[in-house]
Amino acid sequence: MAVISRIFGYVEESVLNLLITLMTLLVFSEVVARFFFNTGFLWIQELTLTFCGWFVLFGMSYGVKVGAHIGVDAFVKNLAPKAKKIVSLITAFVCIVYCGLFLKGSWDYLSQMYQIGLPMEDIHFPQFILKSLDPDFAWNTLKIDIEDGAIPIWLSQSILIIGFFMLTWRFVELFIAILRDQVSGFQFADEAKESMHLIDESAKNAKVDPVSDQKEAK
């Protein structure tokens, strides 16, 4: 399990870095095209939204790993260690069930999109890929219309299955870790602590060096 977890972690970080880079480049290109050349690309908006969806759904599991999600744990912190463990196990189990429901719903949705063969509006495969595909195989297996060349929705939104599967894995991993007393429970982002840290940093930066003050006075 540790090996699989490390692989997942590497994949998550790599994909997230790639997606945020691609989104930045796409948005920058669209802004330049609109403001400097008075033109635009319809496919950039749809592709950026697709990458954004992938980024969010990939980021869910990564957030569980690094403790970046926001939660209310004021009540749990005041519990005895044994009670805290029980509550954390129940919470992790509920999260697993929640992910299971979304996995089932995602599978049903993508299955319907696959059977219908519904394509995206503005994003198409490059011509060299379309020419390399057999028309019968492309439609019967991948639901790709060679004449139209649009990417099918089931393929672009397959992140629903991938993202919730990885999130389920993280919660199962957390459940086992709590059961083995390797962790005490969920890790949440402490916004108050981060805010105080930013205030302290700002206060330090705002302070004027006394030596510089004396030099300026002279």
Side-chain angles (χ1 to χ4, degrees), residues 26 38 96 136 184-185:
L26 287 172
N38 198 26
I96 294 171
D136 293 332
S184 60

XYZ file of all heavy atoms in Angstrom, residues 26 38 96 136 184-185:
42
model
N -2.883 28.843 -21.537
C -4.079 29.012 -22.358
C -4.756 30.356 -22.088
O -5.131 31.076 -23.027
C -5.058 27.865 -22.086
C -4.686 26.499 -22.664
C -5.637 25.427 -22.142
C -4.710 26.529 -24.189
N -7.397 41.451 -31.333
C -8.835 41.531 -31.513
C -9.422 40.247 -32.098
O -10.277 40.269 -32.988
C -9.195 42.718 -32.415
C -10.657 43.097 -32.282
O -11.276 42.852 -31.243
N -11.215 43.664 -33.334
N -15.953 7.515 2.715
C -15.790 6.424 1.743
C -17.120 6.103 1.073
O -17.197 5.908 -0.152
C -15.205 5.176 2.435
C -13.772 5.461 2.904
C -15.225 3.972 1.495
C -13.185 4.379 3.782
N -14.406 2.483 -38.286
C -15.276 1.580 -37.540
C -14.809 1.435 -36.092
O -15.612 1.461 -35.162
C -15.319 0.207 -38.221
C -15.998 0.278 -39.583
O -16.866 1.166 -39.766
O -15.660 -0.534 -40.457
N -4.085 10.407 14.333
C -5.181 10.552 15.285
C -6.502 10.903 14.622
O -7.563 10.789 15.235
C -4.833 11.640 16.314
O -4.610 12.885 15.657
N -6.443 11.341 13.363
C -7.669 11.707 12.662
C -7.374 12.513 11.420
O -6.262 12.473 10.886
